[in-house]
Amino acid sequence: MSRLMKIYYYAVLGGLGGLLAWQLSNLTGMSFTKSLYFNALVVGGFIGFLIGFMIGAVEGISARNWEKAVVSGAITGGLGALGGAIGLPIAEGFLQVIGGYSWARPLGWGLFGLLTGTAAAYKGGAQIWKGAAGGFAGGILGGLLLEFSRGALSDPLLGKAAGLILMGMAVGGCIALIVFTLSKAWFEVKSGKLKGTEFILDKFLQPNGPSAIIGSSSLKADIALPDPDIAPQHAMLQGGGDYFNLKDMSMNGTFVNNKRVEQARLSNMQTIRMGNTELVYHEKR
């Protein structure tokens, strides 16, 4: 899945999360007590989890790794729930203090988006601040669209539905847009089952940061490639600040521009072959 398609999927699945939140909130009802703030906490957490879960699942879905989709979705959904549960009561309190201006609520949704983007970036290979910035911007935009939809549509249910869908789309789309626009290094799969998929590598770039394991195991590898000729842990990618070193860990070998290597410093547009899968390394200076 290319980066353009990922932006599309982030937006669509975020919108689907908003639609699910609307449907379930209608079924269960969301006024549990007479306390405005407690209700806001529950509603914000509920909406945040569903939108966050769908956004977090995108990376696993794009890599056809369903276990990763569920785990990433749960982590992102958890932080989304926390952001919604904290942000919406704060926004409601601010709304009361300033005299009922509905544009105050988007500030709370901005906090929800910030935490959702943080988790999505961490699980997706991007630098955390980029996901957080995209999520915050998406939360503010989504909050504004939510309030606009509520006021513009005469049917309150339709207004809420449209608003929550637009909220999810804004958060998911802005996270992906900023992460992919600002990404410094990534792999593009040129052949194999994941042809067209791109893996962002930014969070592995720092010398003292984590290394990335490339392999066929979804449990043991950070970048999992479904290829029977690739070892569960086939190669290691280590950051050097502004470059990557690739180290072979396999019996079958790792090839850079058709030359077998034990270790190699990667350069822009080099082709890496493992098993029957080819990757092209991209970097932006």
Side-chain angles (χ1 to χ4, degrees):
M1 187 185 296
S2 68
R3 61 182 52 204
L4 288 177
M5 283 301 295
K6 276 192 179 180
I7 293 172
Y8 169 78
Y9 269 85
Y10 266 88
V12 168
L13 287 182
L16 180 58
L19 178 61
L20 290 173
W22 171 69
Q23 284 282 22
L24 291 177
S25 66
N26 289 338
L27 289 174
T28 60
M30 284 299 174
S31 295
F32 298 98
T33 69
K34 294 181 180 180
S35 170
L36 172 68
Y37 299 109
F38 182 78
N39 291 338
L41 182 150
V42 175
V43 172
F46 183 78
I47 294 171
F49 176 79
L50 287 171
I51 294 177
F53 182 90
M54 297 305 292
I55 290 172
V58 173
E59 290 298 322
I61 292 171
S62 68
R64 301 179 193 176
N65 185 336
W66 305 113
E67 182 178 0
K68 180 179 179 180
V70 172
V71 172
S72 297
I75 291 172
T76 307
L79 278 181
L82 179 63
I86 295 173
L88 194 55
I90 290 174
E92 291 294 343
F94 188 48
L95 187 70
Q96 300 300 315
V97 169
I98 66 172
Y101 294 101
S102 59
W103 53 260
R105 286 196 183 100
L107 296 175
W109 290 119
L111 176 59
F112 149 67
L114 185 148
L115 290 179
T116 301
T118 296
Y122 173 75
K123 295 303 295 180
Q127 289 175 305
I128 287 176
W129 72 266
K130 295 174 184 175
F136 182 72
I140 295 290
L141 175 61
L144 290 170
L145 291 172
L146 175 59
E147 295 304 321
F148 174 79
S149 299
R150 283 173 168 170
L153 298 177
S154 56
D155 186 336
L157 283 178
L158 270 179
K160 182 181 176 183
L164 286 175
I165 291 170
L166 290 171
M167 161 76 74
M169 293 183 70
V171 173
C174 285
I175 290 171
L177 183 63
I178 290 182
V179 164
F180 293 131
T181 300
L182 299 181
S183 58
K184 294 181 178 180
W186 64 96
F187 279 140
E188 178 187 2
V189 182
K190 278 297 189 179
S191 66
K193 294 182 179 179
L194 297 184
K195 183 177 179 180
T197 300
E198 295 181 0
F199 294 95
I200 303 297
L201 306 174
D202 289 15
K203 80 172 183 180
F204 305 110
L205 192 55
Q206 297 306 312
N208 297 322
S211 299
I213 300 296
I214 307 169
S216 59
S217 171
S218 60
L219 295 176
K220 298 179 180 179
D222 300 289
I223 298 172
L225 303 170
D227 183 335
D229 292 321
I230 293 179
Q233 293 184 309
H234 196 101
M236 178 186 295
L237 196 67
Q238 295 175 306
D242 58 357
Y243 64 90
F244 276 109
N245 278 320
L246 182 67
K247 182 179 179 181
D248 180 49
M249 300 168 59
S250 71
M251 298 293 292
N252 294 335
T254 297
F255 298 81
V256 176
N257 288 350
N258 290 321
K259 180 181 179 181
R260 184 166 182 169
V261 298
E262 294 296 327
Q263 186 168 319
R265 177 168 169 168
L266 296 181
S267 299
N268 189 38
M269 299 303 294
Q270 283 185 322
T271 299
I272 298 98
R273 178 166 55 85
M274 303 174 192
N276 297 307
T277 302
E278 286 189 341
L279 310 168
V280 175
Y281 172 71
H282 298 270
E283 64 180 24
K284 285 193 298 189
R285 295 290 183 179

